Amino acid sequence: MGAIEIALLFAAGFLSGAINAVAGGGTFIAFGALSLLGVPPISANATSSIAQLPGYFTSTLAYWSSIRKVLRGAMILAAVSVVGSLCGALFLLWLSNDRFAALVPWLLLAATALFAAGPWLKPPPVELGAEPERNSLASAVVQFVTSIYGGFFGAGMGIMMLATLGLTEGGDYHRLNALKNLLSNVIAIVAIVVFVSGGVISWPGALAMIPGVALGGYGGVWAAKRVPQTAVRLFVIAVGLFLAGYYFWRG
């Protein structure tokens, strides 16, 4: 990998981290940059997952005081997420690059639609101090399905999880976001262990992107105060549609 490719991946990582901090959807940028540089789709997906991990860690730290309050109750959801993410990641490795490439445009279209619908998928507001309404069985089942998707592909996973947790767990936005951040770490770590064991990580690509993601996440806080989220969302949707069209064209 030459200096130009490394610089492009660093820039893509920076943009990915910044977009995640502002509106989410940075996975599109990371996956797209790796794909356009010729990284095979399974490897691009796995490498994108590992590049996003620093952002999951920092968002967890930012919500640590809220996470401690839900930690005990989240153990079942975390265990379910381990199993689901393991299933999704193993299924990805079972597929050939050609089979996965055939699925990618449809996955990108679905993730783009999910991202576009994000503002309407936010959980309803809850009165301050109100006791959240929980459905433990439904929550575990839905989280299992979400974690399979997260281990397999992951783009749009955070939006999907926030919406499903709002339906099955209840509580205010900060409680749900704390749960989402905790479970995102679990899903990502399990998937990354599988991907590393399977030897599908493009380490030069990951090492080029990770510092950019970390810096972009920090810079995204500054951008969030100045750049309209609508503009960022439209940019991410455009990237998702472009990548879907690119894979349809290649396919």
Side-chain angles (χ1 to χ4, degrees):
M1 187 172 288
I4 294 176
E5 287 84 358
I6 292 172
L8 288 173
L9 288 176
F10 177 86
F14 182 90
L15 190 59
S16 173
I19 286 174
N20 276 336
V22 177
T27 305
F28 290 111
I29 309 299
F31 177 78
L34 289 162
S35 296
L36 294 175
L37 287 177
V39 178
I42 289 178
S43 183
N45 182 45
T47 305
S48 173
S49 296
I50 204 170
Q52 302 303 313
L53 191 59
Y56 291 139
F57 280 146
T58 53
S59 63
T60 300
L61 289 175
Y63 266 99
W64 184 244
S65 60
S66 297
I67 286 173
R68 285 189 299 178
K69 298 176 184 177
V70 302
L71 194 57
R72 184 177 298 178
M75 287 300 98
I76 292 177
L77 293 180
V80 165
S81 296
V82 168
V83 179
S85 181
L86 182 63
C87 292
L90 288 173
F91 181 57
L92 177 68
L93 293 190
W94 177 77
L95 290 174
S96 65
N97 270 300
D98 288 341
R99 287 181 177 178
F100 181 63
L103 289 175
V104 164
W106 299 104
L107 290 168
L108 285 167
L109 282 178
T112 302
L114 187 67
F115 181 80
W120 293 275
L121 294 176
K122 289 182 178 179
V126 176
E127 292 182 10
L128 187 64
E131 188 68 22
E133 297 180 6
R134 298 185 179 92
N135 187 329
S136 299
L137 179 59
S139 184
V141 171
V142 173
Q143 182 59 29
F144 177 67
V145 174
T146 303
S147 58
I148 291 175
Y149 173 80
F152 180 72
F153 191 56
M157 177 185 67
I159 296 167
M160 182 189 300
M161 205 184 312
L162 199 59
T164 56
L165 287 172
L167 292 173
T168 60
E169 282 287 306
D172 62 34
Y173 177 82
H174 293 294
R175 177 182 183 278
L176 295 174
N177 212 24
L179 263 177
K180 183 262 291 180
N181 289 339
L182 174 65
L183 297 174
S184 293
N185 272 283
V186 172
I187 292 168
I189 290 170
V190 171
I192 286 168
V193 169
V194 173
F195 296 151
V196 171
S197 301
V200 294
I201 303 291
S202 170
W203 287 109
L207 293 174
M209 295 186 85
I210 287 171
V213 171
L215 289 173
Y218 182 82
V221 177
W222 178 88
K225 300 175 181 178
R226 295 164 174 82
V227 179
Q229 284 202 15
T230 301
V232 177
R233 296 189 72 84
L234 288 174
F235 175 74
V236 173
I237 291 168
V239 169
L241 292 175
F242 169 78
L243 289 174
Y246 170 73
Y247 270 99
F248 275 124
W249 173 73
R250 282 185 57 178

